Amino acid sequence: MAEPTLLEKAKQIFEKFLLRQGSRKTPERYSVLEELYLLHEDEHIDVEGLFLKMRNKGYTISRATIYNTLDLLVESGLAVKHQFKNKVALYEQALSYTHHDHHVCNQCQRIREFSDPRLTEIKETMSREFASTMSSHALVLYGDCQLKDCVHMNATPTF
Amino acid sequence: MAEPTLLEKAKQIFEKFLLRQGSRKTPERYSVLEELYLLHEDEHIDVEGLFLKMRNKGYTISRATIYNTLDLLVESGLAVKHQFKNKVALYEQALSYTHHDHHVCNQCQRIREFSDPRLTEIKETMSREFASTMSSHALVLYGDCQLKDCVHMNATPTF
DNA sequence: TTACATGCAAACCCTTTGCAATCGT
DNA sequence: ACGATTGCAAAGGGTTTGCATGTAA
């Protein structure tokens, strides 16, 4: 028996999740999940991107349903939501997701991922210091990347 | 001669900034600066908060002017802008600002500040790794604080 | 059958923009 | 006086909501 693909695993998890919640297994929900898991593992997409992609493929899905479904995917641990600056929310696959943080180029807005164990140490220290659990974190580094095709795309971040 | 207060220093810096830019020294601009510097050093406020506070004091100022002025204050290094989740932008004083990061309680939304030198190390490492300058960063830790008056205020964060 | 989901469009919220009136310089 | 700045209200852009219709169970 062949290794199940990430998408197959994701579908199984989603099915269990929907059952447990008593939520319906609609084709729209599965198609959003599928679309997300057809992306590269580390690719980020926003609601409008998913909407256009799916419409172009002939699906008749609404933005509202995509918003709803993405919430379910986040709840079920199948998607991760990011808010890089103030604008649109970006989503990426959460399965086989080893936690990572992001570097965003001020100029070309390109997003690159990294992970540093020292961040875990910081969280542990602050957990003690603040007598607080640490459920999650968000770290974004901003800088000007030196990639040769780096070109300014729009506004500069404010912080 | 007495030590100038933070507000006095801020006003001097702002004045120089406006002169350099060839921008006008309007009473509205100074009153926004003043309002920000009348807060506690580590207090965060949003545009609506400033607007209401100032209106209540009898100022006739518009939201638009507050937005404009805050941009100027950020440019001149007198204010720092934060976007904690997806909602409103929060501002705080930048003078005597030693860089710090934030812990936000999932329940009561209380914001506490901290600083950890290991973050600087992470930035240095990633700067090398990504061949990128590091102009800034944003780190927010989320958790449930164990403060006795911690009560849920509204929605839970999504990431 | 029946209540949950969907699609659509309107409502929302924060922020930005357009413009006539105002006010620094 | 000139043109930047203001206040107001309308427009924008992303997200949420309300409701009639559709559909999984």
mmCIF file with all atom_site columns, all heavy atoms in Angstrom, chain C residues 4-13:
data_model
loop_
_atom_site.group_PDB
_atom_site.id
_atom_site.type_symbol
_atom_site.label_atom_id
_atom_site.label_alt_id
_atom_site.label_comp_id
_atom_site.label_asym_id
_atom_site.label_entity_id
_atom_site.label_seq_id
_atom_site.pdbx_PDB_ins_code
_atom_site.Cartn_x
_atom_site.Cartn_y
_atom_site.Cartn_z
_atom_site.occupancy
_atom_site.B_iso_or_equiv
_atom_site.pdbx_formal_charge
_atom_site.auth_seq_id
_atom_site.auth_comp_id
_atom_site.auth_asym_id
_atom_site.auth_atom_id
_atom_site.pdbx_PDB_model_num
ATOM 1   P P     . DC C 1 4  ? -28.755 23.351 12.588 1.00 0.00 ? 4  DC C P     1
ATOM 2   O OP1   . DC C 1 4  ? -28.569 22.702 13.903 1.00 0.00 ? 4  DC C OP1   1
ATOM 3   O OP2   . DC C 1 4  ? -29.208 24.753 12.464 1.00 0.00 ? 4  DC C OP2   1
ATOM 4   O "O5'" . DC C 1 4  ? -27.401 23.187 11.779 1.00 0.00 ? 4  DC C "O5'" 1
ATOM 5   C "C5'" . DC C 1 4  ? -27.035 21.904 11.294 1.00 0.00 ? 4  DC C "C5'" 1
ATOM 6   C "C4'" . DC C 1 4  ? -26.429 22.050 9.906  1.00 0.00 ? 4  DC C "C4'" 1
ATOM 7   O "O4'" . DC C 1 4  ? -27.462 22.353 8.937  1.00 0.00 ? 4  DC C "O4'" 1
ATOM 8   C "C3'" . DC C 1 4  ? -25.391 23.168 9.780  1.00 0.00 ? 4  DC C "C3'" 1
ATOM 9   O "O3'" . DC C 1 4  ? -24.324 22.634 9.021  1.00 0.00 ? 4  DC C "O3'" 1
ATOM 10  C "C2'" . DC C 1 4  ? -26.131 24.263 9.013  1.00 0.00 ? 4  DC C "C2'" 1
ATOM 11  C "C1'" . DC C 1 4  ? -27.019 23.425 8.114  1.00 0.00 ? 4  DC C "C1'" 1
ATOM 12  N N1    . DC C 1 4  ? -28.259 24.093 7.575  1.00 0.00 ? 4  DC C N1    1
ATOM 13  C C2    . DC C 1 4  ? -28.534 24.015 6.203  1.00 0.00 ? 4  DC C C2    1
ATOM 14  O O2    . DC C 1 4  ? -27.746 23.412 5.464  1.00 0.00 ? 4  DC C O2    1
ATOM 15  N N3    . DC C 1 4  ? -29.663 24.597 5.714  1.00 0.00 ? 4  DC C N3    1
ATOM 16  C C4    . DC C 1 4  ? -30.504 25.229 6.543  1.00 0.00 ? 4  DC C C4    1
ATOM 17  N N4    . DC C 1 4  ? -31.601 25.774 6.007  1.00 0.00 ? 4  DC C N4    1
ATOM 18  C C5    . DC C 1 4  ? -30.248 25.322 7.940  1.00 0.00 ? 4  DC C C5    1
ATOM 19  C C6    . DC C 1 4  ? -29.126 24.752 8.409  1.00 0.00 ? 4  DC C C6    1
ATOM 20  P P     . DA C 1 5  ? -22.964 23.319 8.885  1.00 0.00 ? 5  DA C P     1
ATOM 21  O OP1   . DA C 1 5  ? -21.948 22.391 9.378  1.00 0.00 ? 5  DA C OP1   1
ATOM 22  O OP2   . DA C 1 5  ? -23.098 24.668 9.466  1.00 0.00 ? 5  DA C OP2   1
ATOM 23  O "O5'" . DA C 1 5  ? -22.722 23.477 7.327  1.00 0.00 ? 5  DA C "O5'" 1
ATOM 24  C "C5'" . DA C 1 5  ? -23.804 23.532 6.458  1.00 0.00 ? 5  DA C "C5'" 1
ATOM 25  C "C4'" . DA C 1 5  ? -23.349 23.640 5.035  1.00 0.00 ? 5  DA C "C4'" 1
ATOM 26  O "O4'" . DA C 1 5  ? -24.496 24.098 4.302  1.00 0.00 ? 5  DA C "O4'" 1
ATOM 27  C "C3'" . DA C 1 5  ? -22.269 24.691 4.766  1.00 0.00 ? 5  DA C "C3'" 1
ATOM 28  O "O3'" . DA C 1 5  ? -21.616 24.358 3.542  1.00 0.00 ? 5  DA C "O3'" 1
ATOM 29  C "C2'" . DA C 1 5  ? -23.074 25.971 4.688  1.00 0.00 ? 5  DA C "C2'" 1
ATOM 30  C "C1'" . DA C 1 5  ? -24.399 25.496 4.066  1.00 0.00 ? 5  DA C "C1'" 1
ATOM 31  N N9    . DA C 1 5  ? -25.574 26.133 4.654  1.00 0.00 ? 5  DA C N9    1
ATOM 32  C C8    . DA C 1 5  ? -25.825 26.375 5.971  1.00 0.00 ? 5  DA C C8    1
ATOM 33  N N7    . DA C 1 5  ? -26.976 26.981 6.192  1.00 0.00 ? 5  DA C N7    1
ATOM 34  C C5    . DA C 1 5  ? -27.518 27.120 4.922  1.00 0.00 ? 5  DA C C5    1
ATOM 35  C C6    . DA C 1 5  ? -28.713 27.676 4.452  1.00 0.00 ? 5  DA C C6    1
ATOM 36  N N6    . DA C 1 5  ? -29.635 28.215 5.259  1.00 0.00 ? 5  DA C N6    1
ATOM 37  N N1    . DA C 1 5  ? -28.942 27.670 3.130  1.00 0.00 ? 5  DA C N1    1
ATOM 38  C C2    . DA C 1 5  ? -28.027 27.120 2.324  1.00 0.00 ? 5  DA C C2    1
ATOM 39  N N3    . DA C 1 5  ? -26.863 26.555 2.640  1.00 0.00 ? 5  DA C N3    1
ATOM 40  C C4    . DA C 1 5  ? -26.665 26.598 3.969  1.00 0.00 ? 5  DA C C4    1
ATOM 41  P P     . DT C 1 6  ? -20.634 25.380 2.876  1.00 0.00 ? 6  DT C P     1
ATOM 42  O OP1   . DT C 1 6  ? -19.623 24.586 2.152  1.00 0.00 ? 6  DT C OP1   1
ATOM 43  O OP2   . DT C 1 6  ? -20.248 26.384 3.873  1.00 0.00 ? 6  DT C OP2   1
ATOM 44  O "O5'" . DT C 1 6  ? -21.588 26.079 1.810  1.00 0.00 ? 6  DT C "O5'" 1
ATOM 45  C "C5'" . DT C 1 6  ? -22.046 25.332 0.700  1.00 0.00 ? 6  DT C "C5'" 1
ATOM 46  C "C4'" . DT C 1 6  ? -22.850 26.224 -0.225 1.00 0.00 ? 6  DT C "C4'" 1
ATOM 47  O "O4'" . DT C 1 6  ? -23.956 26.761 0.537  1.00 0.00 ? 6  DT C "O4'" 1
ATOM 48  C "C3'" . DT C 1 6  ? -22.053 27.414 -0.745 1.00 0.00 ? 6  DT C "C3'" 1
ATOM 49  O "O3'" . DT C 1 6  ? -21.960 27.327 -2.157 1.00 0.00 ? 6  DT C "O3'" 1
ATOM 50  C "C2'" . DT C 1 6  ? -22.857 28.644 -0.310 1.00 0.00 ? 6  DT C "C2'" 1
ATOM 51  C "C1'" . DT C 1 6  ? -24.187 28.088 0.139  1.00 0.00 ? 6  DT C "C1'" 1
ATOM 52  N N1    . DT C 1 6  ? -24.786 28.756 1.323  1.00 0.00 ? 6  DT C N1    1
ATOM 53  C C2    . DT C 1 6  ? -26.007 29.381 1.182  1.00 0.00 ? 6  DT C C2    1
ATOM 54  O O2    . DT C 1 6  ? -26.605 29.436 0.129  1.00 0.00 ? 6  DT C O2    1
ATOM 55  N N3    . DT C 1 6  ? -26.495 29.959 2.325  1.00 0.00 ? 6  DT C N3    1
ATOM 56  C C4    . DT C 1 6  ? -25.912 29.959 3.586  1.00 0.00 ? 6  DT C C4    1
ATOM 57  O O4    . DT C 1 6  ? -26.452 30.493 4.539  1.00 0.00 ? 6  DT C O4    1
ATOM 58  C C5    . DT C 1 6  ? -24.631 29.288 3.658  1.00 0.00 ? 6  DT C C5    1
ATOM 59  C C7    . DT C 1 6  ? -23.904 29.231 4.971  1.00 0.00 ? 6  DT C C7    1
ATOM 60  C C6    . DT C 1 6  ? -24.135 28.728 2.545  1.00 0.00 ? 6  DT C C6    1
ATOM 61  P P     . DG C 1 7  ? -21.037 28.343 -2.939 1.00 0.00 ? 7  DG C P     1
ATOM 62  O OP1   . DG C 1 7  ? -20.653 27.679 -4.212 1.00 0.00 ? 7  DG C OP1   1
ATOM 63  O OP2   . DG C 1 7  ? -20.010 28.878 -2.028 1.00 0.00 ? 7  DG C OP2   1
ATOM 64  O "O5'" . DG C 1 7  ? -22.057 29.514 -3.263 1.00 0.00 ? 7  DG C "O5'" 1
ATOM 65  C "C5'" . DG C 1 7  ? -23.137 29.265 -4.146 1.00 0.00 ? 7  DG C "C5'" 1
ATOM 66  C "C4'" . DG C 1 7  ? -23.872 30.569 -4.418 1.00 0.00 ? 7  DG C "C4'" 1
ATOM 67  O "O4'" . DG C 1 7  ? -24.512 31.009 -3.199 1.00 0.00 ? 7  DG C "O4'" 1
ATOM 68  C "C3'" . DG C 1 7  ? -22.967 31.727 -4.871 1.00 0.00 ? 7  DG C "C3'" 1
ATOM 69  O "O3'" . DG C 1 7  ? -23.635 32.395 -5.929 1.00 0.00 ? 7  DG C "O3'" 1
ATOM 70  C "C2'" . DG C 1 7  ? -22.824 32.592 -3.626 1.00 0.00 ? 7  DG C "C2'" 1
ATOM 71  C "C1'" . DG C 1 7  ? -24.120 32.325 -2.872 1.00 0.00 ? 7  DG C "C1'" 1
ATOM 72  N N9    . DG C 1 7  ? -24.017 32.359 -1.415 1.00 0.00 ? 7  DG C N9    1
ATOM 73  C C8    . DG C 1 7  ? -22.958 31.922 -0.651 1.00 0.00 ? 7  DG C C8    1
ATOM 74  N N7    . DG C 1 7  ? -23.170 32.048 0.640  1.00 0.00 ? 7  DG C N7    1
ATOM 75  C C5    . DG C 1 7  ? -24.445 32.604 0.742  1.00 0.00 ? 7  DG C C5    1
ATOM 76  C C6    . DG C 1 7  ? -25.212 32.964 1.883  1.00 0.00 ? 7  DG C C6    1
ATOM 77  O O6    . DG C 1 7  ? -24.908 32.861 3.075  1.00 0.00 ? 7  DG C O6    1
ATOM 78  N N1    . DG C 1 7  ? -26.448 33.498 1.518  1.00 0.00 ? 7  DG C N1    1
ATOM 79  C C2    . DG C 1 7  ? -26.894 33.650 0.234  1.00 0.00 ? 7  DG C C2    1
ATOM 80  N N2    . DG C 1 7  ? -28.103 34.179 0.083  1.00 0.00 ? 7  DG C N2    1
ATOM 81  N N3    . DG C 1 7  ? -26.194 33.311 -0.844 1.00 0.00 ? 7  DG C N3    1
ATOM 82  C C4    . DG C 1 7  ? -24.980 32.799 -0.517 1.00 0.00 ? 7  DG C C4    1
ATOM 83  P P     . DC C 1 8  ? -22.916 33.502 -6.795 1.00 0.00 ? 8  DC C P     1
ATOM 84  O OP1   . DC C 1 8  ? -23.319 33.244 -8.191 1.00 0.00 ? 8  DC C OP1   1
ATOM 85  O OP2   . DC C 1 8  ? -21.481 33.558 -6.425 1.00 0.00 ? 8  DC C OP2   1
ATOM 86  O "O5'" . DC C 1 8  ? -23.608 34.847 -6.331 1.00 0.00 ? 8  DC C "O5'" 1
ATOM 87  C "C5'" . DC C 1 8  ? -25.028 34.919 -6.295 1.00 0.00 ? 8  DC C "C5'" 1
ATOM 88  C "C4'" . DC C 1 8  ? -25.451 36.040 -5.365 1.00 0.00 ? 8  DC C "C4'" 1
ATOM 89  O "O4'" . DC C 1 8  ? -25.254 35.640 -3.995 1.00 0.00 ? 8  DC C "O4'" 1
ATOM 90  C "C3'" . DC C 1 8  ? -24.650 37.324 -5.540 1.00 0.00 ? 8  DC C "C3'" 1
ATOM 91  O "O3'" . DC C 1 8  ? -25.478 38.282 -6.181 1.00 0.00 ? 8  DC C "O3'" 1
ATOM 92  C "C2'" . DC C 1 8  ? -24.274 37.748 -4.122 1.00 0.00 ? 8  DC C "C2'" 1
ATOM 93  C "C1'" . DC C 1 8  ? -25.095 36.822 -3.242 1.00 0.00 ? 8  DC C "C1'" 1
ATOM 94  N N1    . DC C 1 8  ? -24.434 36.431 -1.971 1.00 0.00 ? 8  DC C N1    1
ATOM 95  C C2    . DC C 1 8  ? -25.140 36.573 -0.780 1.00 0.00 ? 8  DC C C2    1
ATOM 96  O O2    . DC C 1 8  ? -26.286 37.022 -0.811 1.00 0.00 ? 8  DC C O2    1
ATOM 97  N N3    . DC C 1 8  ? -24.535 36.204 0.387  1.00 0.00 ? 8  DC C N3    1
ATOM 98  C C4    . DC C 1 8  ? -23.292 35.732 0.369  1.00 0.00 ? 8  DC C C4    1
ATOM 99  N N4    . DC C 1 8  ? -22.755 35.377 1.544  1.00 0.00 ? 8  DC C N4    1
ATOM 100 C C5    . DC C 1 8  ? -22.549 35.581 -0.846 1.00 0.00 ? 8  DC C C5    1
ATOM 101 C C6    . DC C 1 8  ? -23.155 35.942 -1.987 1.00 0.00 ? 8  DC C C6    1
ATOM 102 P P     . DA C 1 9  ? -24.822 39.724 -6.630 1.00 0.00 ? 9  DA C P     1
ATOM 103 O OP1   . DA C 1 9  ? -25.447 40.078 -7.918 1.00 0.00 ? 9  DA C OP1   1
ATOM 104 O OP2   . DA C 1 9  ? -23.362 39.670 -6.489 1.00 0.00 ? 9  DA C OP2   1
ATOM 105 O "O5'" . DA C 1 9  ? -25.400 40.677 -5.496 1.00 0.00 ? 9  DA C "O5'" 1
ATOM 106 C "C5'" . DA C 1 9  ? -26.594 40.306 -4.818 1.00 0.00 ? 9  DA C "C5'" 1
ATOM 107 C "C4'" . DA C 1 9  ? -26.738 41.149 -3.580 1.00 0.00 ? 9  DA C "C4'" 1
ATOM 108 O "O4'" . DA C 1 9  ? -26.076 40.515 -2.458 1.00 0.00 ? 9  DA C "O4'" 1
ATOM 109 C "C3'" . DA C 1 9  ? -26.121 42.539 -3.694 1.00 0.00 ? 9  DA C "C3'" 1
ATOM 110 O "O3'" . DA C 1 9  ? -26.974 43.444 -3.026 1.00 0.00 ? 9  DA C "O3'" 1
ATOM 111 C "C2'" . DA C 1 9  ? -24.779 42.393 -3.000 1.00 0.00 ? 9  DA C "C2'" 1
ATOM 112 C "C1'" . DA C 1 9  ? -25.127 41.397 -1.893 1.00 0.00 ? 9  DA C "C1'" 1
ATOM 113 N N9    . DA C 1 9  ? -23.990 40.604 -1.433 1.00 0.00 ? 9  DA C N9    1
ATOM 114 C C8    . DA C 1 9  ? -22.886 40.211 -2.151 1.00 0.00 ? 9  DA C C8    1
ATOM 115 N N7    . DA C 1 9  ? -22.031 39.505 -1.454 1.00 0.00 ? 9  DA C N7    1
ATOM 116 C C5    . DA C 1 9  ? -22.606 39.416 -0.196 1.00 0.00 ? 9  DA C C5    1
ATOM 117 C C6    . DA C 1 9  ? -22.204 38.804 0.994  1.00 0.00 ? 9  DA C C6    1
ATOM 118 N N6    . DA C 1 9  ? -21.063 38.121 1.116  1.00 0.00 ? 9  DA C N6    1
ATOM 119 N N1    . DA C 1 9  ? -23.009 38.916 2.066  1.00 0.00 ? 9  DA C N1    1
ATOM 120 C C2    . DA C 1 9  ? -24.156 39.597 1.942  1.00 0.00 ? 9  DA C C2    1
ATOM 121 N N3    . DA C 1 9  ? -24.654 40.219 0.877  1.00 0.00 ? 9  DA C N3    1
ATOM 122 C C4    . DA C 1 9  ? -23.817 40.090 -0.178 1.00 0.00 ? 9  DA C C4    1
ATOM 123 P P     . DA C 1 10 ? -26.670 45.020 -3.049 1.00 0.00 ? 10 DA C P     1
ATOM 124 O OP1   . DA C 1 10 ? -27.743 45.600 -3.885 1.00 0.00 ? 10 DA C OP1   1
ATOM 125 O OP2   . DA C 1 10 ? -25.243 45.258 -3.378 1.00 0.00 ? 10 DA C OP2   1
ATOM 126 O "O5'" . DA C 1 10 ? -26.934 45.430 -1.530 1.00 0.00 ? 10 DA C "O5'" 1
ATOM 127 C "C5'" . DA C 1 10 ? -27.902 44.691 -0.777 1.00 0.00 ? 10 DA C "C5'" 1
ATOM 128 C "C4'" . DA C 1 10 ? -27.519 44.734 0.690  1.00 0.00 ? 10 DA C "C4'" 1
ATOM 129 O "O4'" . DA C 1 10 ? -26.413 43.839 0.948  1.00 0.00 ? 10 DA C "O4'" 1
ATOM 130 C "C3'" . DA C 1 10 ? -27.077 46.118 1.158  1.00 0.00 ? 10 DA C "C3'" 1
ATOM 131 O "O3'" . DA C 1 10 ? -27.685 46.378 2.412  1.00 0.00 ? 10 DA C "O3'" 1
ATOM 132 C "C2'" . DA C 1 10 ? -25.557 45.990 1.245  1.00 0.00 ? 10 DA C "C2'" 1
ATOM 133 C "C1'" . DA C 1 10 ? -25.388 44.526 1.628  1.00 0.00 ? 10 DA C "C1'" 1
ATOM 134 N N9    . DA C 1 10 ? -24.107 43.926 1.238  1.00 0.00 ? 10 DA C N9    1
ATOM 135 C C8    . DA C 1 10 ? -23.483 44.004 0.020  1.00 0.00 ? 10 DA C C8    1
ATOM 136 N N7    . DA C 1 10 ? -22.345 43.340 -0.034 1.00 0.00 ? 10 DA C N7    1
ATOM 137 C C5    . DA C 1 10 ? -22.216 42.788 1.228  1.00 0.00 ? 10 DA C C5    1
ATOM 138 C C6    . DA C 1 10 ? -21.229 41.965 1.805  1.00 0.00 ? 10 DA C C6    1
ATOM 139 N N6    . DA C 1 10 ? -20.139 41.554 1.162  1.00 0.00 ? 10 DA C N6    1
ATOM 140 N N1    . DA C 1 10 ? -21.404 41.590 3.087  1.00 0.00 ? 10 DA C N1    1
ATOM 141 C C2    . DA C 1 10 ? -22.498 42.007 3.740  1.00 0.00 ? 10 DA C C2    1
ATOM 142 N N3    . DA C 1 10 ? -23.505 42.781 3.300  1.00 0.00 ? 10 DA C N3    1
ATOM 143 C C4    . DA C 1 10 ? -23.297 43.132 2.021  1.00 0.00 ? 10 DA C C4    1
ATOM 144 P P     . DA C 1 11 ? -27.375 47.726 3.220  1.00 0.00 ? 11 DA C P     1
ATOM 145 O OP1   . DA C 1 11 ? -28.654 48.116 3.880  1.00 0.00 ? 11 DA C OP1   1
ATOM 146 O OP2   . DA C 1 11 ? -26.653 48.665 2.343  1.00 0.00 ? 11 DA C OP2   1
ATOM 147 O "O5'" . DA C 1 11 ? -26.378 47.230 4.364  1.00 0.00 ? 11 DA C "O5'" 1
ATOM 148 C "C5'" . DA C 1 11 ? -26.776 46.161 5.203  1.00 0.00 ? 11 DA C "C5'" 1
ATOM 149 C "C4'" . DA C 1 11 ? -25.670 45.847 6.193  1.00 0.00 ? 11 DA C "C4'" 1
ATOM 150 O "O4'" . DA C 1 11 ? -24.542 45.250 5.499  1.00 0.00 ? 11 DA C "O4'" 1
ATOM 151 C "C3'" . DA C 1 11 ? -25.118 47.052 6.958  1.00 0.00 ? 11 DA C "C3'" 1
ATOM 152 O "O3'" . DA C 1 11 ? -24.934 46.641 8.300  1.00 0.00 ? 11 DA C "O3'" 1
ATOM 153 C "C2'" . DA C 1 11 ? -23.790 47.330 6.242  1.00 0.00 ? 11 DA C "C2'" 1
ATOM 154 C "C1'" . DA C 1 11 ? -23.351 45.914 5.869  1.00 0.00 ? 11 DA C "C1'" 1
ATOM 155 N N9    . DA C 1 11 ? -22.424 45.788 4.741  1.00 0.00 ? 11 DA C N9    1
ATOM 156 C C8    . DA C 1 11 ? -22.532 46.368 3.502  1.00 0.00 ? 11 DA C C8    1
ATOM 157 N N7    . DA C 1 11 ? -21.554 46.040 2.674  1.00 0.00 ? 11 DA C N7    1
ATOM 158 C C5    . DA C 1 11 ? -20.758 45.180 3.420  1.00 0.00 ? 11 DA C C5    1
ATOM 159 C C6    . DA C 1 11 ? -19.572 44.477 3.123  1.00 0.00 ? 11 DA C C6    1
ATOM 160 N N6    . DA C 1 11 ? -18.958 44.529 1.947  1.00 0.00 ? 11 DA C N6    1
ATOM 161 N N1    . DA C 1 11 ? -19.035 43.718 4.094  1.00 0.00 ? 11 DA C N1    1
ATOM 162 C C2    . DA C 1 11 ? -19.653 43.655 5.285  1.00 0.00 ? 11 DA C C2    1
ATOM 163 N N3    . DA C 1 11 ? -20.773 44.265 5.688  1.00 0.00 ? 11 DA C N3    1
ATOM 164 C C4    . DA C 1 11 ? -21.288 45.016 4.693  1.00 0.00 ? 11 DA C C4    1
ATOM 165 P P     . DC C 1 12 ? -24.726 47.700 9.478  1.00 0.00 ? 12 DC C P     1
ATOM 166 O OP1   . DC C 1 12 ? -25.618 47.300 10.582 1.00 0.00 ? 12 DC C OP1   1
ATOM 167 O OP2   . DC C 1 12 ? -24.759 49.061 8.878  1.00 0.00 ? 12 DC C OP2   1
ATOM 168 O "O5'" . DC C 1 12 ? -23.246 47.408 9.934  1.00 0.00 ? 12 DC C "O5'" 1
ATOM 169 C "C5'" . DC C 1 12 ? -22.439 46.596 9.096  1.00 0.00 ? 12 DC C "C5'" 1
ATOM 170 C "C4'" . DC C 1 12 ? -21.150 46.256 9.781  1.00 0.00 ? 12 DC C "C4'" 1
ATOM 171 O "O4'" . DC C 1 12 ? -20.238 45.823 8.762  1.00 0.00 ? 12 DC C "O4'" 1
ATOM 172 C "C3'" . DC C 1 12 ? -20.498 47.461 10.454 1.00 0.00 ? 12 DC C "C3'" 1
ATOM 173 O "O3'" . DC C 1 12 ? -19.799 47.039 11.620 1.00 0.00 ? 12 DC C "O3'" 1
ATOM 174 C "C2'" . DC C 1 12 ? -19.568 48.001 9.381  1.00 0.00 ? 12 DC C "C2'" 1
ATOM 175 C "C1'" . DC C 1 12 ? -19.185 46.744 8.591  1.00 0.00 ? 12 DC C "C1'" 1
ATOM 176 N N1    . DC C 1 12 ? -19.011 46.987 7.128  1.00 0.00 ? 12 DC C N1    1
ATOM 177 C C2    . DC C 1 12 ? -17.943 46.360 6.465  1.00 0.00 ? 12 DC C C2    1
ATOM 178 O O2    . DC C 1 12 ? -17.198 45.630 7.125  1.00 0.00 ? 12 DC C O2    1
ATOM 179 N N3    . DC C 1 12 ? -17.768 46.589 5.143  1.00 0.00 ? 12 DC C N3    1
ATOM 180 C C4    . DC C 1 12 ? -18.608 47.378 4.487  1.00 0.00 ? 12 DC C C4    1
ATOM 181 N N4    . DC C 1 12 ? -18.386 47.568 3.188  1.00 0.00 ? 12 DC C N4    1
ATOM 182 C C5    . DC C 1 12 ? -19.706 48.024 5.137  1.00 0.00 ? 12 DC C C5    1
ATOM 183 C C6    . DC C 1 12 ? -19.872 47.802 6.454  1.00 0.00 ? 12 DC C C6    1
ATOM 184 P P     . DC C 1 13 ? -19.375 48.143 12.693 1.00 0.00 ? 13 DC C P     1
ATOM 185 O OP1   . DC C 1 13 ? -19.678 47.588 14.032 1.00 0.00 ? 13 DC C OP1   1
ATOM 186 O OP2   . DC C 1 13 ? -19.879 49.473 12.266 1.00 0.00 ? 13 DC C OP2   1
ATOM 187 O "O5'" . DC C 1 13 ? -17.796 48.165 12.522 1.00 0.00 ? 13 DC C "O5'" 1
ATOM 188 C "C5'" . DC C 1 13 ? -17.093 46.938 12.333 1.00 0.00 ? 13 DC C "C5'" 1
ATOM 189 C "C4'" . DC C 1 13 ? -15.677 47.277 11.939 1.00 0.00 ? 13 DC C "C4'" 1
ATOM 190 O "O4'" . DC C 1 13 ? -15.606 47.372 10.495 1.00 0.00 ? 13 DC C "O4'" 1
ATOM 191 C "C3'" . DC C 1 13 ? -15.198 48.624 12.478 1.00 0.00 ? 13 DC C "C3'" 1
ATOM 192 O "O3'" . DC C 1 13 ? -13.917 48.467 13.056 1.00 0.00 ? 13 DC C "O3'" 1
ATOM 193 C "C2'" . DC C 1 13 ? -15.162 49.535 11.268 1.00 0.00 ? 13 DC C "C2'" 1
ATOM 194 C "C1'" . DC C 1 13 ? -14.917 48.541 10.135 1.00 0.00 ? 13 DC C "C1'" 1
ATOM 195 N N1    . DC C 1 13 ? -15.440 48.966 8.811  1.00 0.00 ? 13 DC C N1    1
ATOM 196 C C2    . DC C 1 13 ? -14.728 48.615 7.660  1.00 0.00 ? 13 DC C C2    1
ATOM 197 O O2    . DC C 1 13 ? -13.671 47.967 7.789  1.00 0.00 ? 13 DC C O2    1
ATOM 198 N N3    . DC C 1 13 ? -15.197 48.999 6.461  1.00 0.00 ? 13 DC C N3    1
ATOM 199 C C4    . DC C 1 13 ? -16.338 49.699 6.376  1.00 0.00 ? 13 DC C C4    1
ATOM 200 N N4    . DC C 1 13 ? -16.761 50.055 5.161  1.00 0.00 ? 13 DC C N4    1
ATOM 201 C C5    . DC C 1 13 ? -17.089 50.072 7.544  1.00 0.00 ? 13 DC C C5    1
ATOM 202 C C6    . DC C 1 13 ? -16.602 49.683 8.731  1.00 0.00 ? 13 DC C C6    1
#
